[in-house]
Amino acid sequence: MSIANRYTGKNLYAEFICSAGTIALTGDQRSLTVDREADLVDITASSESDKSYLVSLKDGTAEVEVLDQGSTATAGFEAAMPEGTTGTLIYAPQGTASGKPKRGFGAIAKSVSVEYPYSDVVVYRISFQKTGTVLFSGTAAY
């Protein structure tokens, strides 16, 4: 396998566009995890020995982890995106350079948590619930 096209999350760009404006979720990010899935409907009949399924509704979640290093951007997360805030989550895994892919979907800020560890940096974790269809999926250039 070729390693030429492998990349890290170092250049990740992510933003959440909501009524409070466009909130950058990158700069001091540690990670962005996106999970997309489809519900399955069991269509197995009693005469069959193996289960069969149909694809039903699609769903997804995302979670971003951002360091709080005293910046106004991270300090404003709780005020700008309280739980229940709706908007659009857009992310570009390889950065925003011309020709790089972007992805995104309508989302609800499901939860915002802050961890204040004794001997480590303060971390914000924002969890999003996908709502509606995927808006961009890997082919839309940023």
Side-chain angles (χ1 to χ4, degrees):
M1 263 192 140
S2 171
I3 62 170
N5 295 321
R6 295 179 186 169
Y7 62 96
T8 68
K10 179 182 176 190
N11 294 320
L12 170 73
Y13 176 79
E15 65 187 16
F16 187 62
I17 303 168
C18 63
S19 60
T22 299
I23 301 161
L25 301 173
T26 51
D28 286 332
Q29 85 277 2
R30 277 205 172 157
S31 65
L32 171 68
T33 304
V34 178
D35 293 315
R36 291 172 43 192
E37 62 183 55
D39 292 340
L40 301 177
V41 177
D42 185 346
I43 59 168
T44 310
S46 64
S47 62
E48 299 170 326
S49 59
D50 295 291
K51 286 190 170 191
S52 297
Y53 296 90
L54 286 178
V55 176
S56 183
L57 301 172
K58 295 178 182 178
D59 199 3
T61 59
E63 181 176 274
V64 65
E65 184 178 87
V66 182
L67 300 180
D68 181 6
Q69 297 179 355
S71 71
T72 56
T74 52
F77 283 159
E78 290 175 288
M81 291 187 316
E83 60 281 358
T85 302
T86 60
T88 304
L89 178 65
I90 298 175
Y91 57 102
Q94 298 176 38
T96 60
S98 179
K100 297 297 181 185
K102 74 175 175 179
R103 300 179 174 117
F105 47 85
I108 300 168
K110 185 175 177 182
S111 66
V112 179
S113 62
V114 186
E115 181 180 349
Y116 301 98
Y118 170 73
S119 62
D120 204 350
V121 294
V122 175
V123 176
Y124 280 83
R125 283 185 194 85
I126 303 144
S127 297
F128 297 95
Q129 173 63 52
K130 177 182 158 296
T131 182
T133 61
V134 171
L135 304 173
F136 311 107
S137 183
T139 56
Y142 205 93

